Amino acid sequence: MDKSGDLSQKMYLYHMIKLVILGAGNVATHLFKAFQETKNVEVCQVYNHREGALHAFHGKTQTTTSLQELVEADIYLISVKDDVVQTLAEKIPFQNKLIVHTSGSLPLLKTGSKNGVLYPLQTFSKEIEVDSDTISFCLEASDKDSYHQLDFLAKQVSPKVFSISTNQRKSLHLAAVFACNFVNYMYQVGEKICEENAVPFRILHGLMEETLRKGISNSPRTVQTGPAIRKDYSTINRHLEQLHDAQDKEIYTLISEGIIKNNL
Amino acid sequence: MDKSGDLSQKMYLYHMIKLVILGAGNVATHLFKAFQETKNVEVCQVYNHREGALHAFHGKTQTTTSLQELVEADIYLISVKDDVVQTLAEKIPFQNKLIVHTSGSLPLLKTGSKNGVLYPLQTFSKEIEVDSDTISFCLEASDKDSYHQLDFLAKQVSPKVFSISTNQRKSLHLAAVFACNFVNYMYQVGEKICEENAVPFRILHGLMEETLRKGISNSPRTVQTGPAIRKDYSTINRHLEQLHDAQDKEIYTLISEGIIKNNL
């Protein structure tokens, strides 16, 4: 059989993927919404060990708190805390199904059956809608067939699908802490300084937008500006005097040193 | 005379502002380009103490390295290093002209004549074009007339014009270091981690965009995600093991502590 025939047959096989989601947190909820809007994926069931978190899914799909009641499906997508993923995977009462987790940190599951990883690289907040095609899906699988199935699944909701090894995924997870969580904390400190001085934070929005635009269309290293890169110590010292929170001072000093050291 | 009559008369007076720019660095160059594109501002001359930096302006406007050759204008806009602004202002050989600096840190000039501040809050890199209406202009002036003139000048290039006191401006300048320079450094560390693990940095772009979108449409404090806000110490410790640069470890620890402490 030639390759294209092989692929088109697979496309046919996957034309409707039956999916069960295990977990009801931020990531599970956002993925549920994304997959529910596609033609080729049927989210048959959402499992969670506590009933409370399942309320949000009532009327949208079948829900259960019992692993014994799990329905048969093509893919079981586990999106729970890292430390219970493996245990949960082992309790799924079906053989030869593709079992997938969504963790940025865990290796492939240690199960006999086909398994994989579908790590959605994005920041998910409970109340904030996310456009699913902004999500980078980082995929890994135990075998080629499973990979193709995951690839088909992910591409139903986003064009940004990447084959990423466990180590690469771990490094992306770490890089994301800097490029997202720590960036947001820098915004937060900026906002606090504005509030303390009765300045509307929105005055900074254009600057934040331009910083992103430059950081995306260039290597961030090449577009740094500000007192540290200019080694403008008189401004740096004045800024340190302005800050009255000891931790903010420490952050200011440490990052300024980083900018000076790494941009020589 | 009623207020509107007074205002429309001023509009008439300012219908063509003659501007001299002193300085030829990043900010001066970007402001020159922005003002040159407007109908109501004529950049008559650019002064710089060194000839080299003036080459970029040749053929576009008159240039000089001599303060004695400064032409007469309505506004003299000084955009040079903070420590020489006041000295330069005192050497302008005209009386009763509006003299303005662009510094985020300096107070109003100590001159007998009308003076003011036009602080363009934006990140300017030499080779990167900036859409001038993304610039927040923070204005301050010694008197009402000067303020109105500056307001008219700024509004030729951006709708984002704010009346900002010296102290507010200093705090904005400091907040901008966090929300721009330090954000860019977080991008830089993220990019470095990707490069070290042969992962394309662009996989993170969607996440960076969403982080900005959330930080602008909400208070950043309310939309934090990641291991620190979840107090997920096992992930935090694993991340610290992954980092091999001592300074990156220190930054990771310090900012994680900040997130935990300030989001209780």
Side-chain angles (χ1 to χ4, degrees), chain A residues 192 242-250, chain B residues 261-262:
Chain A
K192 181 180 70 174
Q242 278 175 257
L243 290 166
H244 43 78
D245 181 297
Q247 199 170 39
D248 293 343
K249 274 183 206 283
E250 230 183 310
Chain B
K261 193 183 114 188
N262 291 297

Short mmCIF file of all heavy atoms in Angstrom, two decimals, chain A residues 192 242-250, chain B residues 261-262:
data_model
loop_
_atom_site.label_atom_id
_atom_site.label_comp_id
_atom_site.label_asym_id
_atom_site.label_seq_id
_atom_site.Cartn_x
_atom_site.Cartn_y
_atom_site.Cartn_z
N LYS A 192 0.94 47.81 39.94
CA LYS A 192 0.97 48.24 41.35
C LYS A 192 1.63 49.62 41.47
O LYS A 192 1.12 50.51 42.15
CB LYS A 192 1.74 47.22 42.19
CG LYS A 192 1.81 47.57 43.67
CD LYS A 192 2.58 46.53 44.47
CE LYS A 192 4.07 46.56 44.14
NZ LYS A 192 4.87 45.67 44.99
N GLN A 242 13.13 54.72 44.42
CA GLN A 242 11.68 54.88 44.30
C GLN A 242 10.91 53.66 44.83
O GLN A 242 9.80 53.78 45.32
CB GLN A 242 11.28 55.07 42.83
CG GLN A 242 11.44 56.49 42.31
CD GLN A 242 11.15 56.55 40.81
OE1 GLN A 242 12.07 56.63 40.01
NE2 GLN A 242 9.88 56.51 40.43
N LEU A 243 11.51 52.46 44.65
CA LEU A 243 10.83 51.24 45.08
C LEU A 243 10.89 51.13 46.59
O LEU A 243 11.96 51.26 47.18
CB LEU A 243 11.49 50.02 44.43
CG LEU A 243 11.29 49.85 42.93
CD1 LEU A 243 12.26 48.81 42.37
CD2 LEU A 243 9.85 49.45 42.60
N HIS A 244 9.76 50.88 47.23
CA HIS A 244 9.82 50.72 48.70
C HIS A 244 9.60 49.28 49.14
O HIS A 244 9.79 48.97 50.30
CB HIS A 244 8.89 51.70 49.41
CG HIS A 244 7.55 51.83 48.79
ND1 HIS A 244 6.58 50.89 48.96
CD2 HIS A 244 7.04 52.78 47.95
CE1 HIS A 244 5.52 51.28 48.28
NE2 HIS A 244 5.76 52.40 47.65
N ASP A 245 9.21 48.40 48.21
CA ASP A 245 9.06 46.99 48.55
C ASP A 245 10.41 46.29 48.36
O ASP A 245 11.01 46.35 47.27
CB ASP A 245 7.98 46.39 47.64
CG ASP A 245 7.72 44.92 47.93
OD1 ASP A 245 8.65 44.10 47.75
OD2 ASP A 245 6.59 44.59 48.32
N ALA A 246 10.90 45.65 49.43
CA ALA A 246 12.23 45.05 49.39
C ALA A 246 12.34 44.00 48.28
O ALA A 246 13.37 43.89 47.61
CB ALA A 246 12.56 44.41 50.74
N GLN A 247 11.27 43.24 48.08
CA GLN A 247 11.28 42.20 47.05
C GLN A 247 11.34 42.81 45.64
O GLN A 247 12.05 42.30 44.77
CB GLN A 247 10.04 41.33 47.21
CG GLN A 247 10.17 39.99 46.53
CD GLN A 247 9.02 39.10 46.92
OE1 GLN A 247 7.89 39.54 47.04
NE2 GLN A 247 9.30 37.82 47.08
N ASP A 248 10.59 43.90 45.43
CA ASP A 248 10.64 44.58 44.13
C ASP A 248 12.05 45.11 43.85
O ASP A 248 12.54 45.04 42.71
CB ASP A 248 9.64 45.74 44.08
CG ASP A 248 8.19 45.25 44.14
OD1 ASP A 248 7.96 44.05 43.89
OD2 ASP A 248 7.30 46.07 44.43
N LYS A 249 12.69 45.64 44.88
CA LYS A 249 14.07 46.12 44.74
C LYS A 249 14.99 44.98 44.30
O LYS A 249 15.84 45.14 43.43
CB LYS A 249 14.60 46.64 46.08
CG LYS A 249 14.28 48.08 46.42
CD LYS A 249 14.97 48.42 47.75
CE LYS A 249 14.29 49.51 48.52
NZ LYS A 249 14.55 50.86 48.01
N GLU A 250 14.81 43.83 44.97
CA GLU A 250 15.66 42.68 44.67
C GLU A 250 15.44 42.22 43.23
O GLU A 250 16.39 41.91 42.50
CB GLU A 250 15.30 41.54 45.64
CG GLU A 250 16.49 40.92 46.34
CD GLU A 250 16.05 39.75 47.22
OE1 GLU A 250 15.10 39.92 48.01
OE2 GLU A 250 16.65 38.67 47.09
N LYS B 261 3.57 35.31 47.37
CA LYS B 261 3.35 36.28 48.44
C LYS B 261 2.25 37.30 48.08
O LYS B 261 1.42 37.66 48.92
CB LYS B 261 4.66 37.03 48.71
CG LYS B 261 4.67 37.85 49.99
CD LYS B 261 5.98 38.61 50.13
CE LYS B 261 5.74 40.11 50.06
NZ LYS B 261 6.96 40.90 50.00
N ASN B 262 2.25 37.75 46.82
CA ASN B 262 1.35 38.84 46.45
C ASN B 262 0.03 38.38 45.86
O ASN B 262 -0.73 39.18 45.34
CB ASN B 262 2.06 39.80 45.50
CG ASN B 262 3.16 40.54 46.20
OD1 ASN B 262 2.90 41.29 47.13
ND2 ASN B 262 4.40 40.31 45.78
#
